[in-house]
Amino acid sequence: MKNYIKLSIMALSLVGITSCDMDSPSISSLDESSVFSVYSLAESEIMSIHVSFGETNSYRGRFLPYYGINTDCEWIITPSFADRLTDKYALSNYSTTPGNGQMNTENNAYAKFYEGIERANLAIKGLREFGDVENRPAMAQLLGEALTLRAVIYNDLIKAWGDVPARFEPNNAENLYKPRTNKDVIYKQLLADLKEAEDYCYWPNENAITRSTERVSKAFVKGLRARIALYAGGYALRGDGYRRSNDPDLAPEKMYQIAKQECLDIINSGRCSLGSFLDNFVKLCKDDVAAGSESLWEIPFSEGRGRVLYTWGVRHQTEDQYTYQPRGGVNGPLPTLFYDYDVDDVRRNITCVPYRWGSKDDGTPTSVNHNGNNYNVNQVPQVMSNPTAMYFGKLRYEWLDRYVTSTNDDGVNWQYMRLADVYLMAAEAINELDGPAAAWSYMKPILDRALPAQKVSALQAKYTASKQAFFEGIVDQRAFEFAGEALRKADLIRWGIIDQKIAETKAKLSRLASRSGEYSDLPEKVYVKLYGAEDELPAGVQLFDSYKKPVAGETLVIYGLNHGDSDDIGKNMKDAGYESKGWFLSNGEPRITQDIIDGLCVADKPSMNCLWPIWTCFIGNSNGMLNNDGNYGQLSD
């Protein structure tokens, strides 16, 4: 069970903004000196910052579902060029307009991000003045958390909206209206803030406060500083084009040095461990927030908040044995990603799932008991989907230890950073500074848990051949490792390769649709059966849940998804109970249509359309200070 930090019991902030989720009384009537000199009250103020993450149209329902999707390995299921102006598609296909109906409201993510920043600003000011942080380590930890949570929000603001107003002091009559600020100014402030926060925060499990991944630890502070350094030193859309910063303080070599040192500090501390790829996500689904494993920090959601599985999980079509909400499968992997994985890569069948859970017509009525309540649901099996509707499998209702009864929230935390990211950031930075031979030892642990030893050795020879070869390895492995975690878009942008990768992906989708080129060795159909208790599984069949044993009458056994599989072999499996299913074709026509391919990105240059505009309602209420000129950024450094 998650700890007391759950959003449903967080206290209100001094900022005086209320939430329908809050049960605790407001402490806004108390003066700052009373609040920020008492640990329990000051801690409540830090907890209130999390409220802004979890409100309906903030991270929960707008930012996490829509930012970071439609890349070279992820998309909203299923994109459409014909429907490109639909609000939900337009948020992800690089054609977003200021009047977008999902976002152009005064309570959406942009507003809630600044609400969280204001709460952080009040806490930072109060703790500096009244917290006696020089002599009270627990109060210093709270200050470090406030600085870090503010940096999280500002980093995401910059990723989504580019140059945004810089607010590092509480609101007052003099600073109420502010123009956009050059992102470089904000980046430098965040890097300085996080450097300060490192001195305040405890390592994971060094103190009772940091026993949970829902609380900020020194490991997360350092990891976030490394991530922001890589963003600050990378490419970005600016007022005069898509380029790196001209600020010498943010020169790439300086930013790589920061990233290298911060990541090595985390790794060498020994405070966290990788474990298996699968275990990380099973723990996440089981609400295991114990610090010290792979997870470094998670946005905490209570059972009645958060749309993580709803958006990023496997599709459930009806109320079934695993969930009372017919949800999941809003976003998913591109089919090209599935076929890009090595067949022996354990990450493939965990990340990419080619089935959904059946509809009411596929199952039989049953009931489940939850906390003493019986729910009438349907016992359904897995049923085959198709290449344009594959699902992310890192997060699954069937891995939860509880039954989800909310209409569209599931309470699973959003894992904001994990240790694998630290290793691969270290490898990337060290390659740039010291070369591929030195960098290899930080990529190797990620590959060792994913691939057989001989294939890791082959990749070592390939990647360490040159600095460029190792960079290309980083690009590939970050896709295989983090698909479905909303990191890819920002990676492609900062590397300066988003235009190239989107164009390559569209071409690959065209070849996959016709099973030509590198996809010519794939069969036209797949061959499936429901697992039986007495079944012996032949070589080449696929299962997509390595956490649980196959369940008779529920688990789908699949042949035909690997390079080199053939329709001839599949047809001969009929006597063993396998039946053929159309995979690449539907009624003789390709399922991957040109409309879908074009809908992935409707802009000729995604690099020049990779930011969201500030929404019309905020422009109108800015007293003339905000606009969407200059590619949503300043015209110069």
Side-chain angles (χ1 to χ4, degrees):
M1 180 61 68
K2 300 177 190 179
N3 64 22
Y4 63 91
I5 194 173
K6 290 180 180 181
L7 294 180
S8 60
I9 59 173
M10 288 180 181
L12 288 173
S13 170
L14 283 173
V15 77
I17 302 176
T18 60
S19 166
C20 62
D21 299 316
M22 306 315 302
D23 299 322
S24 301
S26 172
I27 58 173
S28 59
S29 59
L30 299 178
D31 61 76
E32 286 183 286
S33 63
S34 299
V35 171
F36 291 107
S37 61
V38 177
Y39 178 83
S40 61
L41 295 179
E43 186 182 45
S44 294
E45 291 303 290
I46 302 306
M47 297 305 100
S48 77
I49 302 169
H50 290 83
V51 176
S52 298
F53 287 88
E55 294 201 42
T56 298
N57 294 329
S58 183
Y59 278 85
R60 169 199 170 270
R62 291 296 182 267
F63 187 75
L64 295 179
Y66 294 118
Y67 182 82
I69 204 67
N70 282 35
T71 67
D72 61 341
C73 62
E74 305 146 323
W75 61 10
I76 187 170
I77 301 173
T78 303
S80 168
F81 185 80
D83 295 330
R84 62 192 178 279
L85 299 182
T86 303
D87 287 333
K88 291 184 178 181
Y89 286 131
L91 280 174
S92 58
N93 66 12
Y94 304 86
S95 66
T96 315
T97 59
N100 184 278
Q102 289 287 313
M103 288 288 199
N104 186 30
T105 61
E106 293 183 355
N107 69 342
N108 73 57
Y110 182 85
K112 293 302 175 182
F113 283 18
Y114 274 106
E115 175 188 280
I117 287 169
E118 175 66 5
R119 289 172 170 173
N121 286 341
L122 287 164
I124 292 166
K125 177 178 179 291
L127 285 164
R128 289 194 193 283
E129 292 183 6
F130 307 109
D132 191 19
V133 296
E134 295 83 4
N135 301 304
R136 301 176 66 186
M139 299 296 267
Q141 165 74 29
L142 296 181
L143 176 56
E145 289 191 67
L147 289 166
T148 303
L149 294 175
R150 185 173 70 178
V152 166
I153 299 171
Y154 259 122
N155 184 48
D156 288 335
L157 271 169
I158 291 172
K159 284 195 305 182
W161 287 278
D163 294 342
V164 293
R167 296 186 177 277
F168 291 99
E169 297 292 337
N171 293 341
N172 57 55
E174 285 71 39
N175 69 7
L176 190 58
Y177 299 106
K178 301 191 74 172
R180 292 179 183 261
T181 303
N182 189 298
K183 62 174 65 67
D184 292 348
V185 174
I186 300 175
Y187 274 140
K188 289 194 286 187
Q189 179 71 50
L190 301 184
L191 291 170
D193 286 348
L194 292 171
K195 186 63 175 175
E196 179 185 1
E198 291 178 9
D199 294 332
Y200 300 145
C201 291
Y202 293 105
W203 286 106
N205 291 314
E206 185 181 6
N207 180 276
I209 298 172
T210 54
R211 289 175 185 165
S212 168
T213 56
E214 295 179 333
R215 295 294 294 268
V216 169
S217 69
K218 190 188 296 286
F220 175 61
V221 177
K222 285 179 169 290
L224 181 62
R225 191 164 185 259
R227 180 182 288 179
I228 289 176
L230 292 179
Y231 290 159
Y235 286 82
L237 181 57
R238 299 174 178 274
D240 57 355
Y242 177 60
R243 59 171 176 80
R244 293 185 189 270
S245 171
N246 292 328
D247 190 325
D249 291 338
L250 301 178
E253 60 274 12
K254 291 183 179 180
M255 297 299 100
Y256 283 128
Q257 187 59 50
I258 289 175
K260 171 186 173 180
Q261 189 59 58
E262 298 291 11
C263 290
L264 291 184
D265 285 352
I266 299 167
I267 294 167
N268 294 335
S269 75
R271 296 283 184 168
C272 301
S273 60
L274 280 173
S276 80
F277 183 79
L278 175 65
D279 284 351
N280 173 70
F281 299 106
V282 172
K283 286 182 179 180
L284 188 61
C285 288
K286 291 185 174 299
D287 303 329
D288 184 344
V289 297
S293 298
E294 184 162 353
S295 186
L296 297 187
W297 184 68
E298 300 167 12
I299 296 177
F301 292 116
S302 67
E303 290 185 11
R305 288 275 86 184
R307 297 175 65 174
V308 176
L309 281 175
Y310 177 98
T311 304
W312 298 90
V314 180
R315 175 68 176 166
H316 288 246
Q317 297 182 90
T318 187
E319 298 89 346
D320 62 32
Q321 65 267 35
Y322 294 114
T323 176
Y324 201 68
Q325 53 170 283
R327 295 290 187 269
V330 176
N331 297 333
L334 271 71
T336 48
L337 173 70
F338 179 85
Y339 291 109
D340 284 346
Y341 277 105
D342 186 288
V343 67
D344 291 324
D345 193 325
V346 302
R347 297 172 295 188
R348 185 188 74 165
N349 289 10
I350 296 168
T351 302
C352 306
V353 172
Y355 62 75
R356 58 185 180 270
W357 289 90
S359 68
K360 182 177 181 179
D361 292 340
D362 296 313
T364 56
T366 188
S367 65
V368 297
N369 185 277
H370 173 65
N371 289 340
N373 297 314
N374 288 318
Y375 296 89
N376 294 321
V377 295
N378 303 284
Q379 185 82 26
V380 299
Q382 300 166 357
V383 297
M384 204 67 188
S385 187
N386 67 74
T388 69
M390 299 182 77
Y391 303 107
F392 288 121
K394 291 177 175 178
L395 303 171
R396 311 188 190 194
Y397 289 97
E398 52 269 32
W399 290 352
L400 272 62
D401 286 334
R402 52 188 169 81
Y403 195 70
V404 176
T405 56
S406 173
T407 54
N408 55 14
D409 291 85
D410 46 73
V412 173
N413 287 353
W414 178 258
Q415 190 171 65
Y416 197 87
M417 181 176 287
R418 56 189 176 93
L419 190 60
D421 194 7
V422 173
Y423 273 91
L424 289 179
M425 287 192 294
E428 179 181 346
I430 293 170
N431 177 56
E432 295 296 330
L433 295 170
D434 308 313
W440 170 251
S441 60
Y442 298 98
M443 181 184 280
K444 186 176 186 295
I446 304 304
L447 299 184
D448 281 344
R449 69 178 187 175
L451 290 161
Q454 67 273 19
K455 292 191 173 181
V456 175
S457 295
L459 287 177
Q460 178 180 4
K462 176 182 177 181
Y463 291 162
T464 58
S466 68
K467 182 182 288 189
Q468 180 60 29
F470 196 90
F471 170 73
E472 291 171 3
I474 287 288
V475 171
D476 287 347
Q477 292 304 323
R478 285 189 68 88
F480 297 146
E481 185 72 22
F482 300 120
E485 298 180 52
L487 295 177
R488 188 63 171 179
K489 181 178 178 181
D491 279 346
L492 295 178
I493 291 168
R494 69 179 177 86
W495 287 327
I497 61 173
I498 188 168
D499 293 345
Q500 168 195 334
K501 283 297 183 180
I502 293 293
E504 288 177 359
T505 300
K506 286 186 172 184
K508 287 169 66 175
L509 284 167
S510 294
R511 295 193 296 273
L512 183 60
S514 60
R515 289 183 298 124
S516 60
E518 66 267 48
Y519 306 112
S520 60
D521 63 346
L522 294 171
E524 176 186 316
K525 297 182 178 181
V526 293
Y527 301 84
V528 304
K529 67 174 292 187
L530 287 175
Y531 174 78
E534 305 303 320
D535 279 351
E536 293 184 9
L537 302 178
V541 302
Q542 300 296 310
L543 298 172
F544 287 81
D545 190 346
S546 54
Y547 165 61
K548 297 190 306 180
K549 293 181 179 180
V551 178
E554 175 180 292
T555 302
L556 202 61
V557 183
I558 309 167
Y559 173 82
L561 291 173
N562 293 337
H563 289 281
D565 289 352
S566 74
D567 287 300
D568 288 340
I569 293 176
K571 291 174 184 176
N572 289 332
M573 298 170 73
K574 181 178 179 180
D575 290 342
Y578 289 81
E579 60 177 319
S580 64
K581 296 286 185 182
W583 183 244
F584 289 109
L585 300 178
S586 175
N587 297 322
E589 297 295 325
R591 292 184 186 272
I592 305 172
T593 65
Q594 194 62 45
D595 176 68
I596 290 172
I597 296 170
D598 290 341
L600 174 68
C601 175
V602 305
D604 292 335
K605 285 185 175 256
S607 63
M608 299 301 292
N609 297 272
C610 61
L611 295 174
W612 286 337
I614 294 178
W615 317 115
T616 300
C617 62
F618 300 109
I619 298 291
N621 292 331
S622 70
N623 201 28
M625 299 295 283
L626 295 176
N627 60 57
N628 283 315
D629 298 341
N631 295 321
Y632 314 141
Q634 301 296 302
L635 295 179
S636 67
D637 285 340

